[in-house]
Short mmCIF file of all heavy atoms in Angstrom, two decimals:
data_model
loop_
_atom_site.label_atom_id
_atom_site.label_comp_id
_atom_site.label_asym_id
_atom_site.label_seq_id
_atom_site.Cartn_x
_atom_site.Cartn_y
_atom_site.Cartn_z
N LEU A 88 21.64 -12.83 0.67
CA LEU A 88 23.07 -12.51 0.78
C LEU A 88 23.88 -13.80 0.80
O LEU A 88 23.40 -14.85 1.25
CB LEU A 88 23.33 -11.71 2.07
CG LEU A 88 22.61 -10.37 2.20
CD1 LEU A 88 22.94 -9.73 3.54
CD2 LEU A 88 22.96 -9.43 1.06
N PHE A 89 25.11 -13.72 0.32
CA PHE A 89 26.00 -14.89 0.35
C PHE A 89 26.60 -15.01 1.76
O PHE A 89 27.37 -14.13 2.17
CB PHE A 89 27.11 -14.75 -0.69
CG PHE A 89 26.59 -14.62 -2.09
CD1 PHE A 89 26.75 -13.44 -2.80
CD2 PHE A 89 25.93 -15.68 -2.71
CE1 PHE A 89 26.28 -13.32 -4.10
CE2 PHE A 89 25.45 -15.56 -4.01
CZ PHE A 89 25.62 -14.38 -4.70
N PRO A 90 26.25 -16.07 2.50
CA PRO A 90 26.67 -16.15 3.91
C PRO A 90 28.18 -16.26 4.09
O PRO A 90 28.72 -15.85 5.13
CB PRO A 90 25.96 -17.40 4.42
CG PRO A 90 25.66 -18.21 3.21
CD PRO A 90 25.43 -17.23 2.11
N HIS A 91 28.90 -16.81 3.09
CA HIS A 91 30.34 -17.01 3.23
C HIS A 91 31.13 -15.77 2.83
O HIS A 91 32.35 -15.72 3.03
CB HIS A 91 30.78 -18.21 2.36
CG HIS A 91 30.52 -18.01 0.91
ND1 HIS A 91 29.25 -18.09 0.37
CD2 HIS A 91 31.35 -17.72 -0.13
CE1 HIS A 91 29.31 -17.87 -0.93
NE2 HIS A 91 30.57 -17.64 -1.27
N MET A 92 30.45 -14.77 2.28
CA MET A 92 31.14 -13.54 1.85
C MET A 92 30.92 -12.43 2.87
O MET A 92 29.86 -12.35 3.51
CB MET A 92 30.60 -13.05 0.50
CG MET A 92 30.92 -13.93 -0.68
SD MET A 92 30.30 -13.11 -2.19
CE MET A 92 30.60 -14.39 -3.40
N ASN A 93 31.92 -11.56 3.01
CA ASN A 93 31.73 -10.41 3.88
C ASN A 93 30.91 -9.34 3.16
O ASN A 93 30.51 -9.50 2.00
CB ASN A 93 33.08 -9.86 4.37
CG ASN A 93 33.98 -9.39 3.23
OD1 ASN A 93 33.50 -9.02 2.16
ND2 ASN A 93 35.28 -9.40 3.46
N VAL A 94 30.64 -8.24 3.86
CA VAL A 94 29.80 -7.18 3.31
C VAL A 94 30.38 -6.62 2.01
O VAL A 94 29.68 -6.45 1.01
CB VAL A 94 29.63 -6.05 4.36
CG1 VAL A 94 29.03 -4.80 3.72
CG2 VAL A 94 28.75 -6.52 5.52
N LEU A 125 26.72 2.15 6.14
CA LEU A 125 27.42 0.96 6.63
C LEU A 125 28.94 1.09 6.49
O LEU A 125 29.64 0.08 6.45
CB LEU A 125 26.93 -0.30 5.88
CG LEU A 125 25.55 -0.83 6.25
CD1 LEU A 125 25.20 -2.02 5.38
CD2 LEU A 125 25.47 -1.21 7.72
N GLY A 127 32.56 1.07 7.42
CA GLY A 127 33.23 0.38 8.53
C GLY A 127 32.76 -1.05 8.74
O GLY A 127 33.30 -1.78 9.57
N TYR A 128 31.74 -1.47 7.96
CA TYR A 128 31.18 -2.82 8.10
C TYR A 128 31.72 -3.78 7.04
O TYR A 128 31.26 -4.91 6.93
CB TYR A 128 29.65 -2.77 7.98
CG TYR A 128 28.94 -2.22 9.19
CD1 TYR A 128 29.07 -0.89 9.56
CD2 TYR A 128 28.11 -3.03 9.97
CE1 TYR A 128 28.40 -0.36 10.65
CE2 TYR A 128 27.44 -2.52 11.08
CZ TYR A 128 27.59 -1.19 11.41
OH TYR A 128 26.93 -0.68 12.50
N GLU A 129 32.71 -3.35 6.28
CA GLU A 129 33.16 -4.09 5.10
C GLU A 129 33.51 -5.54 5.37
O GLU A 129 33.22 -6.44 4.56
CB GLU A 129 34.39 -3.41 4.49
CG GLU A 129 34.11 -2.05 3.88
CD GLU A 129 34.26 -0.91 4.88
OE1 GLU A 129 34.04 -1.15 6.09
OE2 GLU A 129 34.62 0.21 4.46
N LYS A 130 34.12 -5.84 6.51
CA LYS A 130 34.65 -7.18 6.76
C LYS A 130 33.67 -8.09 7.52
O LYS A 130 33.98 -9.26 7.78
CB LYS A 130 35.97 -7.09 7.53
CG LYS A 130 37.08 -6.43 6.69
CD LYS A 130 38.39 -6.37 7.46
CE LYS A 130 39.49 -5.73 6.61
NZ LYS A 130 40.79 -5.63 7.34
N ARG A 131 32.52 -7.56 7.87
CA ARG A 131 31.56 -8.38 8.62
C ARG A 131 30.82 -9.34 7.69
O ARG A 131 30.54 -9.04 6.54
CB ARG A 131 30.55 -7.50 9.35
CG ARG A 131 31.17 -6.62 10.41
CD ARG A 131 30.11 -6.02 11.30
NE ARG A 131 30.65 -4.98 12.16
CZ ARG A 131 29.96 -4.35 13.09
NH1 ARG A 131 28.68 -4.64 13.26
NH2 ARG A 131 30.53 -3.42 13.84
N LYS A 132 30.48 -10.51 8.24
CA LYS A 132 29.69 -11.50 7.52
C LYS A 132 28.19 -11.21 7.78
O LYS A 132 27.85 -10.61 8.81
CB LYS A 132 30.03 -12.92 7.99
CG LYS A 132 31.47 -13.34 7.68
CD LYS A 132 31.61 -13.71 6.22
CE LYS A 132 33.03 -14.16 5.88
NZ LYS A 132 33.40 -15.42 6.55
N PRO A 133 27.30 -11.66 6.91
CA PRO A 133 25.87 -11.44 7.13
C PRO A 133 25.37 -11.90 8.50
O PRO A 133 24.49 -11.27 9.09
CB PRO A 133 25.22 -12.25 6.00
CG PRO A 133 26.23 -12.20 4.90
CD PRO A 133 27.57 -12.28 5.59
N SER A 134 25.94 -13.00 9.00
CA SER A 134 25.51 -13.51 10.31
C SER A 134 25.86 -12.57 11.46
O SER A 134 25.32 -12.71 12.57
CB SER A 134 26.15 -14.88 10.57
OG SER A 134 27.57 -14.77 10.56
N GLU A 135 26.75 -11.62 11.21
CA GLU A 135 27.15 -10.66 12.24
C GLU A 135 26.37 -9.35 12.16
O GLU A 135 26.64 -8.41 12.89
CB GLU A 135 28.65 -10.35 12.11
CG GLU A 135 29.54 -11.57 12.27
CD GLU A 135 31.01 -11.28 11.97
OE1 GLU A 135 31.32 -10.98 10.80
OE2 GLU A 135 31.81 -11.35 12.92
N LEU A 136 25.38 -9.33 11.28
CA LEU A 136 24.60 -8.12 11.07
C LEU A 136 23.18 -8.27 11.59
O LEU A 136 22.63 -9.38 11.62
CB LEU A 136 24.53 -7.78 9.57
CG LEU A 136 25.86 -7.61 8.82
CD1 LEU A 136 25.58 -7.42 7.33
CD2 LEU A 136 26.65 -6.43 9.38
N SER A 137 22.58 -7.15 11.95
CA SER A 137 21.15 -7.16 12.32
C SER A 137 20.31 -7.26 11.05
O SER A 137 20.83 -7.12 9.93
CB SER A 137 20.80 -5.86 13.06
OG SER A 137 20.88 -4.75 12.16
N GLY A 138 19.01 -7.47 11.22
CA GLY A 138 18.12 -7.56 10.07
C GLY A 138 18.14 -6.29 9.23
O GLY A 138 18.17 -6.35 7.99
N GLY A 139 18.14 -5.14 9.90
CA GLY A 139 18.18 -3.88 9.18
C GLY A 139 19.48 -3.67 8.43
O GLY A 139 19.49 -3.13 7.30
N GLU A 140 20.59 -4.12 9.01
CA GLU A 140 21.89 -4.00 8.35
C GLU A 140 21.98 -4.93 7.14
O GLU A 140 22.52 -4.56 6.09
CB GLU A 140 23.01 -4.30 9.36
CG GLU A 140 23.19 -3.19 10.39
CD GLU A 140 23.95 -3.63 11.64
OE1 GLU A 140 24.25 -4.84 11.76
OE2 GLU A 140 24.24 -2.77 12.48
N GLN A 141 21.43 -6.15 7.28
CA GLN A 141 21.40 -7.07 6.14
C GLN A 141 20.57 -6.47 5.00
O GLN A 141 20.94 -6.58 3.82
CB GLN A 141 20.80 -8.40 6.56
CG GLN A 141 21.70 -9.23 7.47
CD GLN A 141 21.05 -10.54 7.87
OE1 GLN A 141 20.34 -11.16 7.09
NE2 GLN A 141 21.28 -10.97 9.10
N VAL A 144 22.67 -3.97 3.14
CA VAL A 144 23.65 -4.63 2.26
C VAL A 144 22.96 -5.08 0.97
O VAL A 144 23.49 -4.90 -0.13
CB VAL A 144 24.31 -5.84 2.96
CG1 VAL A 144 25.23 -6.58 1.99
CG2 VAL A 144 25.12 -5.38 4.18
#
Side-chain angles (χ1 to χ4, degrees):
L88 300 178
F89 300 113
H91 61 286
M92 292 184 187
N93 61 26
V94 167
L125 285 177
Y128 285 67
E129 293 90 330
K130 294 181 179 179
R131 296 193 190 184
K132 295 283 181 66
S134 60
E135 299 173 294
L136 303 175
S137 68
E140 288 162 354
Q141 289 180 36
V144 175

